[in-house]
Amino acid sequence: MAEDTQEVPQLALVAVIGFNGHVFSGLKVHPDKEHLIYPLGCTVIIKSLKSGRQTFLHGHTNNVSCISVSKSGRYIASGQVTFMGFKADVIIWDYEKKEICARLMLHKARVEDLSFSPNDKYLVSLGGQDDGSIVVWNIESKEAICGSPASAQSAGHCLTIEYTNLNDEIFVSAGNGTLRVWELDLPNRKIRPTECQTGQLKRIVKCLEIPDDDNYFYCGTTSGDILKVNLKTRLLNSCGPVKQKFSKGVNTLKVLKTGDILVGSGDGMLSLCSGGNFKTIKSVQLEGGVTSVTLRGDGQQFYVGTEAAQIYNLGYTDFKPELIATNHNSAVKDVAFPFATSELFATCSQNDIRVWHTETSKELLRITVPNITCNALGFVQDGRSIFSAWNDGKIRVFTPESGKLRLIIHNAHSMGVTAIAATNDCKRIVSGGGEGQVRVWEIFQNSYRLIETMKEHKATVNCIKIKSNDKECVTASSDGACIIWDLVRFVRNQMVLSNTLFSVVCYHPEEFQIITSGTDRKIGYWEVYDGSAIRELEGSLSGAINGMHISEDGKYFVTGGDDKLLKLWHYSDGEVTHVGIGHSGSITNVRICPNSRYIVSTSADGAILRWRYPQTS
């Protein structure tokens, strides 16, 4: 990757839409009360609550699995997952400088949890189930002081770890049938555990919360109850609620100054319950299981993150959730701009199509079709409808203002609709399917008719582009062919063959050439007239190219793929002029907006990135 991006200017990343809601306690408010910190893929994002400006911490080589912020706010620590047999890094970041202060490598395969000691002296890290060890690090010297297996031989995996608030030498660990208080013995470089006595209770603890005075600590369990344990005697004090347990387990806990506890559970319920008997005082239902609750200041205001990748803001007094950020929580398949405007764009993924306001990254509309995936979408040129291709074999047409279903074409393709495009006169839709057929539909106000089926491709049709006069289209397929079709006589005009799975094809704006790309990482230029090859470029050093788009003037085009790099190319020179580094998942699609101000790219981890289009001379 290093050779790939040498001496090429970088594209400026303007905004990222995305949040990994599956990281437990991944959403944090910085002690300065002005910034949110959260993970997305291999990136840690710091977002200003006032201006919405984002800063990105790049350094991990794989997905971030846990985040911790020190009490003073000077440091952020983040751990990652990696492959079996490899070391998983812990990175300590300097918050002011936004750069790496230390990289700690000891754990194997995964870092499960991290916690800073109250005076920023030590960081304790917990490895995942393939590693199973706890390590205490000296932050100043950046070295490990000591380590130990996290749980006894007879107990299950440890899942969470938390430092006390007053003592740099004491922390607590918990997990499946294990609950321990550890003391650091610095002169002998050892940590010594004491088992907490819970009597007959057998629980899997998901989260720990230690109130400021360090007298007791609370454990949230998968069974949906909360344990209160005395930190001095290490004995179970109480367990509750007795009757109304929290559905799908307690994922996260926060103790407020009043002594009440905020509980986030797996069924998406956020509850405020009393510290005495754990009875629910008030609760609110959110979308997706609650995975993070973080307080701003003393807890008059708090932020909540869920598995559906939503971030909410709530106040202690009114307890009303305000949705401040929405994101896709699975791979984004396609992105489209309306004709001649960059103000908004649409993306699609599993279960839904979303329309976004470009400048603010706010979600304007969500069209939900549960349990099926939208493979491709686009806007009709007159702006009156959004057409979309779904893996259940249907084509659905929606109105862009309300998201109302205007038209549905049943059984459009037998193995799912995989590609779709609309003619410029807004009267026809051309669709491609998993079985390799290309079909032309005439669309009326609220009905349709099949005009023609063209059967030549032997495998999935991945991309369709229509010529501006509506008389010709080109289709790219996994069978290694790109076919140029006559849309008047419905016959093949030309065919381009290559030893690759074609994923994407584009017409040059002057329409005498096409460019193609796919799994062989090559970018091919071809003559439309006779299908002859003009040139071939090496598109990337690793991984397929999944997305490609040409600028309106035809001078530049962008590509993105499995190497996670966005590249801007000069069309006639065939040289990379700019590179965008920032994706942490494979890039699934790219678009240059109609007036060439931005480039929008989408990825397999659910992220949507918006880049400033460079002022090319």
Side-chain angles (χ1 to χ4, degrees):
M1 200 163 117
E3 315 81 75
D4 226 0
T5 57
Q6 262 172 355
E7 288 96 46
V8 179
Q10 287 205 16
L11 288 171
L13 183 55
V14 188
V16 170
I17 303 173
F19 160 62
N20 184 355
H22 296 282
V23 175
F24 286 96
S25 300
L27 179 70
K28 307 274 187 196
V29 175
H30 189 269
D32 66 9
K33 301 180 194 168
E34 294 300 316
H35 294 87
L36 281 178
I37 299 160
Y38 54 91
L40 173 68
C42 356
T43 314
V44 178
I45 299 178
I46 301 171
K47 181 176 174 177
S48 161
L49 288 168
K50 272 199 184 127
S51 67
R53 270 203 54 224
Q54 294 168 317
T55 319
F56 310 102
L57 304 180
H58 298 295
H60 285 289
T61 55
N62 206 320
N63 289 345
V64 175
S65 54
C66 53
I67 289 182
S68 180
V69 181
S70 72
K71 225 171 183 158
S72 65
R74 267 181 64 195
Y75 302 110
I76 298 171
S78 53
Q80 69 170 59
V81 292
T82 176
F83 304 104
M84 219 27 223
F86 288 86
K87 292 266 196 286
D89 302 7
V90 174
I91 297 181
I92 300 180
W93 308 85
D94 183 307
Y95 178 74
E96 280 308 312
K97 298 183 185 152
K98 311 279 191 281
E99 59 187 41
I100 296 178
C101 141
R103 190 184 283 270
L104 316 173
M105 295 171 72
L106 258 183
H107 294 293
K108 290 195 277 294
R110 180 186 171 95
V111 183
E112 195 69 52
D113 204 4
L114 294 162
S115 184
F116 281 97
S117 74
N119 301 312
D120 292 5
K121 272 195 192 164
Y122 311 118
L123 172 73
V124 59
S125 62
L126 167 66
Q129 62 178 30
D130 300 308
D131 177 89
S133 60
I134 290 177
V135 180
V136 179
W137 305 85
N138 182 324
I139 294 175
E140 207 176 327
S141 71
K142 304 175 185 174
E143 282 170 357
I145 301 169
C146 55
S148 161
S151 38
Q153 293 276 308
S154 56
H157 303 302
C158 189
L159 299 171
T160 177
I161 197 156
E162 194 69 41
Y163 242 106
T164 55
N165 300 294
L166 306 172
N167 192 333
D168 279 324
E169 270 84 49
I170 298 178
F171 59 90
V172 181
S173 76
N176 183 353
T178 171
L179 187 56
R180 293 173 146 192
V181 178
W182 299 78
E183 290 187 44
L184 176 65
D185 176 0
L186 203 59
N188 297 319
R189 292 185 67 156
K190 279 215 167 28
I191 42 175
R192 309 184 191 280
T194 324
E195 302 285 345
C196 295
Q197 301 304 317
T198 56
Q200 293 295 311
L201 276 184
K202 296 241 183 315
R203 291 286 185 269
I204 301 174
V205 177
K206 282 285 270 293
C207 56
L208 289 165
E209 172 72 357
I210 308 176
D212 293 341
D213 56 12
D214 281 359
N215 289 332
Y216 293 92
F217 64 90
Y218 297 93
C219 312
T221 72
T222 53
S223 322
D225 48 13
I226 300 166
L227 314 181
K228 182 179 180 183
V229 183
N230 187 320
L231 196 70
K232 307 283 184 292
T233 64
R234 327 267 152 101
L235 296 175
L236 181 67
N237 172 290
S238 62
C239 169
V242 183
K243 287 199 176 122
Q244 286 280 301
K245 295 207 182 345
F246 297 99
S247 173
K248 294 195 180 171
V250 176
N251 284 342
T252 176
L253 289 172
K254 274 285 170 282
V255 174
L256 301 170
K257 287 272 186 287
T258 57
D260 295 335
I261 309 172
L262 282 171
V263 182
S265 50
D267 63 345
M269 194 65 83
L270 178 75
S271 315
L272 179 73
C273 54
S274 75
N277 56 5
F278 309 114
K279 273 228 169 76
T280 302
I281 302 165
K282 46 187 168 183
S283 63
V284 59
Q285 179 70 46
L286 307 176
E287 189 183 334
V290 177
T291 50
S292 304
V293 175
T294 175
L295 307 180
R296 184 177 179 189
D298 288 337
Q300 297 86 349
Q301 203 182 15
F302 38 93
Y303 290 85
V304 180
T306 73
E307 280 174 357
Q310 313 269 37
I311 301 176
Y312 296 88
N313 171 16
L314 290 93
Y316 176 73
T317 40
D318 62 354
F319 218 64
K320 280 203 173 67
E322 178 202 351
L323 191 58
I324 57 165
T326 61
N327 311 283
H328 283 293
N329 57 352
S330 58
V332 184
K333 299 280 191 181
D334 199 6
V335 54
F337 280 92
F339 179 68
T341 172
S342 306
E343 271 188 40
L344 43 102
F345 64 91
T347 57
C348 65
S349 82
Q350 192 181 338
N351 301 336
D352 56 21
I353 292 174
R354 303 188 189 201
V355 179
W356 307 87
H357 185 256
T358 311
E359 289 289 330
T360 59
S361 303
K362 282 266 187 296
E363 185 183 307
L364 303 174
L365 173 71
R366 186 185 309 183
I367 303 166
T368 307
V369 188
N371 304 329
I372 48 177
T373 302
C374 182
N375 288 322
L377 84 169
F379 288 88
V380 178
Q381 196 155 326
D382 60 15
R384 290 196 184 151
S385 43
I386 297 173
F387 54 90
S388 55
W390 297 78
N391 70 349
D392 62 351
K394 298 186 172 94
I395 294 172
R396 291 175 171 87
V397 182
F398 302 95
T399 56
E401 290 85 22
S402 63
K404 229 171 81 204
L405 184 63
R406 233 189 77 183
L407 182 66
I408 183 163
I409 302 179
H410 294 278
N411 309 327
H413 289 273
S414 61
M415 291 169 67
V417 190
T418 52
I420 197 162
T423 56
N424 298 298
D425 63 7
C426 310
K427 288 178 182 160
R428 293 178 174 190
I429 285 178
V430 181
S431 66
E435 76 294 323
Q437 296 186 4
V438 178
R439 294 187 167 182
V440 185
W441 310 84
E442 193 167 358
I443 302 296
F444 307 106
Q445 189 54 41
N446 35 24
S447 63
Y448 62 90
R449 90 186 162 93
L450 175 62
I451 300 174
E452 193 65 60
T453 300
M454 301 183 282
K455 306 178 186 175
E456 290 234 3
H457 286 301
K458 308 275 185 295
T460 307
V461 179
N462 295 319
C463 184
I464 301 173
K465 292 285 170 27
I466 299 177
K467 204 168 161 174
S468 58
N469 66 1
D470 291 340
K471 288 185 176 162
E472 180 185 287
C473 77
V474 58
T475 57
S477 164
S478 299
D479 61 3
C482 277
I483 299 180
I484 296 163
W485 303 92
D486 184 321
L487 285 182
V488 180
R489 299 176 320 175
F490 304 109
V491 292
R492 178 179 92 194
N493 278 351
Q494 272 311 330
M495 180 152 150
V496 164
L497 288 168
S498 181
N499 190 7
T500 177
L501 311 179
F502 283 118
S503 53
V504 58
V505 58
C506 295
Y507 273 106
H508 185 271
E510 288 166 1
E511 300 183 339
F512 50 77
Q513 290 180 358
I514 54 170
I515 53 172
T516 60
S517 197
T519 51
D520 65 351
R521 314 194 298 277
K522 306 259 195 302
I523 297 166
Y525 291 60
W526 314 80
E527 269 316 335
V528 169
Y529 170 66
D530 60 355
S532 59
I534 303 165
R535 75 187 316 178
E536 194 174 69
L537 306 173
E538 189 68 47
S540 106
L541 290 183
S542 62
I545 293 175
N546 306 321
M548 180 159 70
H549 196 222
I550 299 187
S551 63
E552 285 181 337
D553 57 11
K555 288 182 183 162
Y556 294 89
F557 66 95
V558 286
T559 61
D562 293 351
D563 64 354
K564 304 171 186 169
L565 297 173
L566 183 73
K567 294 179 188 168
L568 184 71
W569 302 76
H570 193 283
Y571 188 89
S572 48
D573 298 351
E575 296 287 326
V576 176
T577 62
H578 292 77
V579 169
I581 302 174
H583 273 285
S584 35
S586 294
I587 298 176
T588 51
N589 233 312
V590 290
R591 282 290 175 282
I592 300 170
C593 76
N595 51 14
S596 297
R597 287 178 53 205
Y598 300 115
I599 301 168
V600 171
S601 55
T602 62
S603 72
D605 57 8
I608 302 165
L609 276 66
R610 180 161 58 92
W611 313 79
R612 187 166 289 108
Y613 189 83
Q615 295 308 311
T616 43
S617 50

